[in-house]
Amino acid sequence: MIQLLIIADDFIGALDTGVQFASNGAQTQVTTDVRFDFKNADPDVRVLVMDADTRTLAAESAYRTVAGIVHRAQRVGVPYIYKKTDSSLRGNVGAELAALCDATGAGRVHFIPAYPDNGRITRNGIQYINEVPVSETLFGQDPEFPVKTSCVAELIKQQVDVAVHNIQGNVLRMPHLPEGVLVYDCETETQMEQIAYGLSRRGELAFCAGCAGFVGVLPRLLGLVGPRPQLPVLNKQLLVLCGSENPSAMAQVNAAEQEGITRVHLNAQQKFQLEWAGSEQAAADLDTWAELCKEKSACILDSNPVEGSEEDTAYAQEHGLDALQKRANVSAAMGMIMSRMLKKLDDATVMVIGGGSMLQFMRQAQVSSLKPICEIAPGTVLMTMEYEGKQRNVICKPGVFGREKLICDVLKIVQDTSEK
């Protein structure tokens, strides 16, 4: 029976939160189906994480989507609902918190946006990233979701008319809690645990919100624990698909190539031209890559250009592609390549760098559900999914996380489990 529903606004956020329960032994399912049938859910699943994909929607649409999901979950008696938000406050944070508050009829939602272990803290109602107000970081200039204010209450009120209260100090010592969205100051993991414990004592954990940081303290308090999952035997053949242009991701594939791992750079046509997928050239290229992967212990298909190449820039200018369209086309191309390569490489372990690429694969392959197992490195999630009638092991991570030698580390883990 589903005891906790987590509603995320993007795919990576869904994985980040789901894996924390899975690694603590709670049967966890991640779905991209916002019309998920709660009545016919797997009875063994205790935590359902739904990627509502609302970050890209207009605020009103995001509100309606979240409210609709909450209504359906409550009709089947899901006792706990958590609204997962971005730790940098991108997206429709205010609208989605209001939706949770209104749809539940609870009168208030407890919002803990801090993630101290990742440098995200909330002090006097201001969100900081590594001691810099969030609106003054790169997130303030994000091309898709710029964060224009660091004041959490102001950000929420820009999107929706709702009462917002900044909560400081020990929640257990407050004589009463106001209604609306309650934003909690938090600068350390200890404070995070104190907030969670205080809300638990007051019976107020039913409707909370925040990033993956607060989720980390919930498994024990909600009794969502069990035997720790065992790392499955992984096929020693590793295919890495990099659809991220983040500097951290590029550093990781560079380091892997320097260690001798084969790397193929996709050309501009392969990653930007959507028609390429149906061409004879695509079929030939995919066959070539599949044979290369079979010959090697690991192979990287990389959407980033060769250093110093101007091919991508020239192609984008010629075809009028802006940065957002380029990113969308790359994700679509990597999703298609993954679906076809999985058919050609029967048992290979696949690692996807870039949540957009993984999400596009799921959409194109009509895969709406997967099960996280554990993190094999910080921010790097191992999961299983059913594809073409088989259970496949997939590793996924956002471009921003991970140390430089991450791909090499993953390859060693894959090889070690295959030998066992």
Side-chain angles (χ1 to χ4, degrees):
M1 175 183 174
I2 297 171
Q3 294 171 268
L4 170 66
L5 168 65
I6 300 172
I7 306 172
D9 68 346
D10 76 336
F11 180 72
I12 287 297
L15 280 186
D16 284 347
T17 49
V19 74
Q20 297 194 52
F21 290 93
S23 61
N24 276 281
Q27 281 274 15
T28 303
Q29 178 180 348
V30 175
T31 180
T32 58
D33 181 9
V34 295
R35 298 180 179 84
F36 181 87
D37 185 357
F38 288 93
K39 292 182 179 178
N40 293 314
D42 184 336
D44 293 330
V45 171
R46 302 175 70 195
V47 179
L48 178 71
V49 189
M50 185 179 294
D51 170 23
D53 197 26
T54 48
R55 189 177 297 180
T56 60
L57 299 180
E60 290 184 2
S61 296
Y63 177 97
R64 289 194 299 269
T65 298
V66 172
I69 294 167
V70 171
H71 281 307
R72 292 191 295 110
Q74 288 205 295
R75 281 199 291 267
V76 298
V78 176
Y80 297 98
I81 300 177
Y82 186 87
K83 181 66 200 70
K84 190 328 188 143
T85 60
D86 179 51
S87 63
S88 60
L89 303 180
R90 292 174 297 172
N92 296 297
V93 175
E96 297 184 19
L97 294 179
L100 178 58
C101 190
D102 294 345
T104 59
R108 58 178 162 266
V109 169
H110 304 280
F111 183 36
I112 306 91
Y115 197 164
D117 278 355
N118 279 0
R120 273 74 164 162
I121 66 169
T122 313
R123 179 189 299 142
N124 297 322
I126 304 297
Q127 190 79 348
Y128 293 86
I129 296 181
N130 298 323
E131 292 296 333
V132 179
V134 62
S135 63
E136 298 175 20
T137 69
L138 290 176
F139 295 107
Q141 289 80 46
D142 188 289
E144 291 183 272
F145 318 106
V147 181
K148 297 301 185 182
T149 177
S150 303
C151 176
V152 182
E154 183 180 337
L155 181 142
I156 292 171
K157 285 179 171 294
Q158 285 177 352
Q159 298 179 8
V160 67
D161 183 16
V162 65
V164 184
H165 308 274
N166 185 222
I167 306 298
Q168 301 174 333
N170 192 332
V171 68
L172 280 175
R173 296 176 182 172
M174 297 181 65
H176 70 277
L177 297 175
E179 294 194 347
V181 177
L182 281 56
V183 179
Y184 289 78
D185 276 6
C186 180
E187 299 188 41
T188 67
E189 285 299 313
T190 299
Q191 290 177 344
M192 184 86 73
E193 292 173 1
Q194 290 172 344
I195 293 169
Y197 176 75
L199 292 176
S200 177
R201 287 286 302 273
R202 297 187 72 137
E204 292 276 345
L205 282 179
F207 309 118
C208 293
C211 61
F214 192 68
V215 166
V217 302
L218 292 180
R220 177 177 53 82
L221 288 174
L222 299 182
L224 294 170
V225 295
R228 295 284 180 132
Q230 297 294 313
L231 197 65
V233 175
L234 302 172
N235 188 291
K236 65 181 180 180
Q237 186 179 69
L238 178 66
L239 169 63
V240 180
L241 299 166
C242 180
S244 172
E245 60 182 7
N246 187 280
S248 294
M250 287 191 278
Q252 289 158 5
V253 291
N254 286 339
E257 185 177 31
Q258 290 171 5
E259 291 294 321
I261 296 178
T262 301
R263 177 183 185 182
V264 175
H265 291 274
L266 273 64
N267 63 39
Q269 184 183 38
Q270 291 163 343
K271 59 195 174 191
F272 295 142
Q273 188 181 94
L274 299 180
E275 295 79 9
W276 172 80
S279 67
E280 292 183 4
Q281 185 60 53
D285 290 342
L286 288 158
D287 284 340
T288 299
W289 297 337
E291 288 304 313
L292 183 63
C293 291
K294 291 174 182 177
E295 294 173 8
K296 309 292 182 179
S297 59
C299 181
I300 301 170
L301 300 182
D302 186 12
S303 64
N304 290 293
V306 177
E307 187 175 356
S309 171
E310 296 297 326
E311 179 189 11
D312 285 11
T313 302
Y315 187 96
Q317 290 177 346
E318 181 182 349
H319 293 83
L321 300 178
D322 61 18
L324 295 182
Q325 190 60 56
K326 285 169 60 181
R327 188 183 302 174
N329 287 10
V330 166
S331 294
M334 298 305 287
M336 180 280 296
I337 290 169
M338 178 177 172
S339 64
R340 296 200 190 176
M341 292 295 284
L342 279 173
K343 294 177 183 178
K344 295 176 180 294
L345 303 173
D346 195 44
D347 294 310
T349 302
V350 178
M351 178 179 182
V352 183
I353 301 176
S357 298
M358 185 67 203
L359 183 57
Q360 282 298 320
F361 159 77
M362 294 180 70
R363 287 173 175 168
Q364 294 174 27
Q366 296 184 321
V367 173
S368 63
S369 179
L370 51 86
K371 291 191 174 183
I373 300 172
C374 63
E375 283 186 313
I376 59 174
T380 304
V381 179
L382 171 64
M383 54 198 174
T384 63
M385 66 179 184
E386 185 174 331
Y387 179 61
E388 298 283 307
K390 292 186 61 176
Q391 289 295 318
R392 301 299 299 260
N393 294 309
V394 179
I395 299 163
C396 186
K397 67 170 289 290
V400 69
F401 288 143
R403 75 187 199 101
E404 195 172 273
K405 295 285 188 178
L406 177 64
I407 297 174
C408 302
D409 295 342
V410 169
L411 178 59
K412 186 176 188 308
I413 292 170
V414 168
Q415 292 176 336
D416 286 347
T417 64
S418 68
E419 291 173 1
K420 292 178 182 178

